[in-house]
Amino acid sequence: MASQVIKVQTVCRNIIAVARNYTEHAKELGNPVPKENPLVFGKPVSSIITEGEIQIPHGWKELHHEVELGVVIGKPGKFIKPENAMDHVMGYVLVLDMTARSIQQELKKQGYPWFLAKGFDTSCPISDFIPKSAVKDVHNLNLKLTVNGITKQNGNTKDMIFKVPDLLSYISNYFKLEYGDLILTGTPSGVSGVKHGDIIEASLDDLAKIKFPVVENEK
């Protein structure tokens, strides 16, 4: 399949996301910084959108934006060694990991999973596919996000706690990675709330740009 026609939302079978992979983001939410292993969670493939609107479920009022680098798997693998991990990468996407923060915090207090707060419809907007060959250094990419033209997040993938090869190696110990799987690598600091009528714009260097309006569902 030619890289220029890959539709990630069509080939993706699994989304595995990494939380607290940037120190300053963990600190801004008052969370401990992972030291030994990445903290992983999942999102359903049905949460992916490439156009349209980010929809706030009725009654939630607000979501938080989290801009991230997404890694698209091209070669299946299990128990992948870090030194071989990049051989399994087909390319990348720019991703928004939209999060219902108040719902997440309440679930955490009760000791429940975050799935509802992270996996609702439209919670995973992505850009067009970026072929691996277009990225010179995956650990030196600027991630920027604005809300209504005001910069909220402005980070760089060099600040990841766990680098891409280590993430793929760790995740593949527990989940066999298949063609089309999408790995979300965490967000830099600056997350904030968005409400009905807001416009989110984000970029990954000059490789990808996305723009999505935010709307609240009436029911």
Side-chain angles (χ1 to χ4, degrees):
M1 183 181 294
S3 62
Q4 64 267 25
V5 299
I6 289 172
K7 301 293 184 183
V8 175
Q9 69 273 27
T10 301
V11 299
C12 182
R13 58 174 288 281
N14 205 7
I15 301 173
I16 300 173
V18 180
R20 307 176 194 172
N21 200 28
Y22 289 75
T23 299
E24 294 306 313
H25 170 61
K27 289 181 177 179
E28 73 181 345
L29 296 181
N31 292 320
V33 178
K35 294 181 179 180
E36 296 183 2
N37 295 311
L39 177 60
V40 300
F41 63 95
K43 294 171 78 82
V45 174
S46 59
S47 65
I48 294 177
I49 58 170
T50 58
E51 59 185 2
E53 303 166 329
I54 296 170
Q55 299 174 7
I56 305 174
H58 179 67
W60 286 9
K61 301 299 182 184
E62 180 182 88
L63 302 175
H64 273 204
H65 55 75
E66 298 187 7
V67 64
E68 310 196 9
L69 170 72
V71 178
V72 183
I73 300 300
K75 177 183 174 182
K78 178 75 173 174
F79 304 118
I80 298 169
K81 295 180 179 180
E83 58 266 31
N84 299 327
M86 296 307 292
D87 295 338
H88 294 262
V89 175
M90 175 167 55
Y92 308 95
V93 288
L94 176 62
V95 184
L96 299 181
D97 174 20
M98 300 303 298
T99 304
R101 191 73 65 201
S102 61
I103 303 297
Q104 183 189 34
Q105 290 173 342
E106 184 59 33
L107 290 170
K108 286 168 62 177
K109 287 179 183 178
Q110 298 180 52
Y112 295 154
W114 308 342
F115 191 74
L116 182 65
K118 289 280 193 177
F120 55 92
D121 289 348
T122 77
S123 66
C124 191
I126 67 171
S127 70
D128 291 339
F129 177 78
I130 305 164
K132 181 181 176 181
S133 60
V135 176
K136 293 181 180 179
D137 184 358
V138 71
H139 298 119
N140 188 21
L141 296 172
N142 292 311
L143 287 162
K144 184 177 181 180
L145 182 144
T146 66
V147 178
N148 302 328
I150 300 172
T151 299
K152 297 292 185 178
Q153 293 187 268
N154 192 4
N156 191 287
T157 56
K158 67 183 180 183
D159 295 321
M160 287 183 187
I161 299 170
F162 301 100
K163 307 303 184 184
V164 171
D166 296 318
L167 291 176
L168 299 186
S169 177
Y170 178 78
I171 291 168
S172 72
N173 287 336
Y174 305 96
F175 309 96
K176 182 182 179 182
L177 297 180
E178 299 282 3
Y179 178 90
D181 282 356
L182 177 59
I183 311 300
L184 277 55
T185 59
T187 192
S189 61
V191 301
S192 65
V194 292
K195 299 180 180 180
H196 178 85
D198 287 340
I199 303 293
I200 298 176
E201 296 182 74
S203 63
L204 179 68
D205 272 355
D206 58 355
L207 299 168
K209 292 183 178 180
I210 54 177
K211 181 179 181 179
F212 288 90
V214 179
V215 300
E216 182 181 356
N217 286 342
E218 295 183 359
K219 59 181 179 179

